[in-house]
Amino acid sequence: MLSVTGPAGFYKTPVSKFLLGFSLSSSLSLIFPLHSYRPLFVYSYDSIFEKREFWRLLTSKIAFLDVKDIALCSMLIYNFRFLERRFGSRKFVSYLIATSVLSTALELAVLVICHQFDVSFGTMPSGPFCLVFPQFAQFFLKIPRVAVSSIMGVPVTGKTFTYILGLQVASASPESRLVTSCALAAGFLWHHNFLKIQSIIWIPESVSSQFDRMIGWLFKSPPPANLNTPMGATLELQRQERLERVEEQMIAAAMQNSVAHNGTYNLMRPQPVNVAHGPGVFGNFVRHDGLRHRDHSSGDQSPDHSSAITVSEDQVQRLTEMGFSDDSVRRALVLSNNDISRATNILLQDST
């Protein structure tokens, strides 16, 4: 599955680099040389509300104690680094701190409520789930659906693999589902500015600058070698760059259409885009006059009908700017009846 979230490496993502390095080092230390200290890094309802060991709320978020959680969550941290590029490191740290506080508070609230109804949970899973899973909320809201293939008519997007990783972690046990659900809810609560948390928990510029001067240089990474590589250097790179350009073009088109119809555009609620090939069981998503419908029409056009289609020069320009040739763009637009989403998918299929 291709990543559609930006260039490889930790370029301009020092916080994500620190988070991944710290979680890996602390987790592996407790699995091998410091195995005897593992009991200090877990918590349960009894340890918090009966024994009053509140310090466990902090230690339990430091390291993963399960090898599967280490592997899967490390991949998620790496994949979510694009959020730091979009937010900026200071806002990203503020987001992580705020969602961690919300997630932990939700965990305790759910444990108390379940205890009142005689529903008991065992030892809660250890690890910084409160830092990883809230990012799924922004991943869902900020990244449009750009389908790259389909399985039995169901569109498979560049986001599917990431969701599968998250489900693998969450499905381990009832306790894991509780922790990950609370973390996910915290991400959406932050997005809706629950209790004005975005204003309450915010890293000041002075604090951010001080940390950057002291330790920022340790986690800064140089630009990736392929950042300026010409399009088409390899087939895989060509396809990935085109997918990323498709996302940018779709977001820009959504903004332009919204401004044209409504005069404004809501950046906090980007609309999903589906360019899956073929109707399948879900169909293609198209918009007419701002409404969402499903298109179950065939992608093939008869020769007589195709010859009567007038290609939109504006759409030709938009697609050629993505790197496709003029002839292939015009052919794709004719086959798709000037539907730019389906034309894009045809061009991407032809490039593989």
Side-chain angles (χ1 to χ4, degrees):
M1 183 64 62
L2 296 175
S3 172
V4 292
T5 53
F10 288 99
Y11 179 55
K12 294 186 177 180
T13 59
V15 177
S16 298
K17 186 176 183 179
F18 167 78
L19 180 60
L20 180 59
F22 180 78
S23 62
L24 277 175
S25 59
S26 59
S27 301
L28 294 176
S29 297
L30 289 174
I31 288 178
F32 298 111
L34 303 177
H35 181 81
S36 58
Y37 294 96
R38 287 165 61 94
L40 299 177
F41 293 82
V42 297
Y43 88 95
S44 62
Y45 177 88
D46 292 338
S47 63
I48 299 299
F49 295 100
E50 301 295 336
K51 299 179 181 179
R52 307 295 183 184
E53 296 175 342
F54 298 109
W55 51 269
R56 290 183 180 272
L57 292 174
L58 177 61
T59 59
S60 64
K61 311 299 183 185
I62 292 177
F64 298 106
L65 300 184
D66 185 273
V67 176
K68 183 186 75 172
D69 290 342
I70 296 175
L72 297 180
C73 288
S74 295
M75 286 189 283
L76 289 173
I77 293 172
Y78 182 79
N79 190 66
F80 287 149
R81 69 201 185 284
F82 79 95
L83 280 176
E84 183 176 356
R85 292 194 185 103
R86 293 196 174 194
F87 281 3
S89 295
R90 183 161 68 102
K91 182 177 179 180
F92 185 64
V93 172
S94 303
Y95 174 73
L96 294 181
I97 294 175
T99 52
S100 297
V101 172
L102 278 176
S103 177
T104 304
L106 288 173
E107 286 179 32
L108 296 177
V110 171
L111 286 177
V112 170
I113 293 172
C114 290
H115 184 75
Q116 296 297 320
F117 289 94
D118 295 326
V119 178
S120 60
F121 288 93
T123 300
M124 308 304 290
S126 298
F129 298 102
C130 59
L131 297 175
V132 178
F133 273 80
Q135 298 182 60
F136 270 105
Q138 298 303 314
F139 183 69
F140 173 78
L141 295 166
K142 300 293 184 182
I143 300 299
R145 295 178 70 250
V146 179
V148 295
S149 63
S150 62
I151 299 177
M152 297 179 65
V154 179
V156 177
T157 75
K159 303 167 68 175
T160 302
F161 182 66
T162 303
Y163 288 137
I164 292 174
L165 291 179
L167 287 173
Q168 285 290 321
V169 176
S171 61
S173 66
E175 290 78 15
S176 296
R177 288 190 285 274
L178 186 154
V179 170
T180 54
S181 297
C182 290
L184 185 61
F188 283 103
L189 288 175
W190 183 92
H191 176 75
H192 293 288
N193 202 16
F194 178 70
L195 297 178
K196 305 295 182 182
I197 193 167
Q198 295 184 21
S199 302
I200 296 174
I201 301 181
W202 179 257
I203 304 299
E205 177 68 31
S206 57
V207 175
S208 174
S209 301
Q210 189 67 23
F211 271 94
D212 185 58
R213 285 194 297 269
M214 291 190 299
I215 62 174
W217 59 274
L218 289 172
F219 304 101
K220 289 183 178 179
S221 300
N226 63 352
L227 189 63
N228 297 315
T229 302
M231 180 83 112
T234 65
L235 226 122
E236 191 71 15
L237 179 60
Q238 183 184 42
R239 182 175 175 84
Q240 181 172 346
E241 290 186 356
R242 283 180 174 176
L243 284 172
E244 291 172 2
R245 291 192 181 188
V246 167
E247 288 185 23
E248 295 173 358
Q249 292 290 335
M250 292 302 179
I251 293 173
M255 292 177 65
Q256 291 173 1
N257 290 338
S258 180
V259 170
H261 286 87
N262 306 321
T264 59
Y265 180 73
N266 190 348
L267 289 173
M268 300 301 290
R269 298 179 62 88
Q271 300 298 323
V273 178
N274 183 0
V275 291
H277 179 67
V281 297
F282 291 97
N284 291 325
F285 294 127
V286 295
R287 291 183 179 276
H288 301 290
D289 298 328
L291 299 178
R292 187 182 189 188
H293 306 282
R294 297 197 182 273
D295 177 18
H296 296 281
S297 62
S298 171
D300 299 329
Q301 301 289 340
S302 64
D304 293 339
H305 181 64
S306 298
S307 61
I309 296 176
T310 301
V311 175
S312 169
E313 294 300 326
D314 180 60
Q315 293 180 351
V316 171
Q317 181 180 358
R318 287 173 57 188
L319 291 173
T320 53
E321 287 175 354
M322 298 182 196
F324 301 111
S325 66
D326 184 82
D327 291 341
S328 60
V329 166
R330 293 180 182 276
R331 181 181 62 84
L333 286 171
V334 169
L335 291 174
S336 64
N337 195 22
N338 271 328
D339 186 323
I340 191 168
S341 295
R342 294 173 62 188
T344 304
N345 187 63
I346 292 171
L347 292 166
L348 289 174
Q349 296 293 331
D350 290 344
S351 66
T352 56

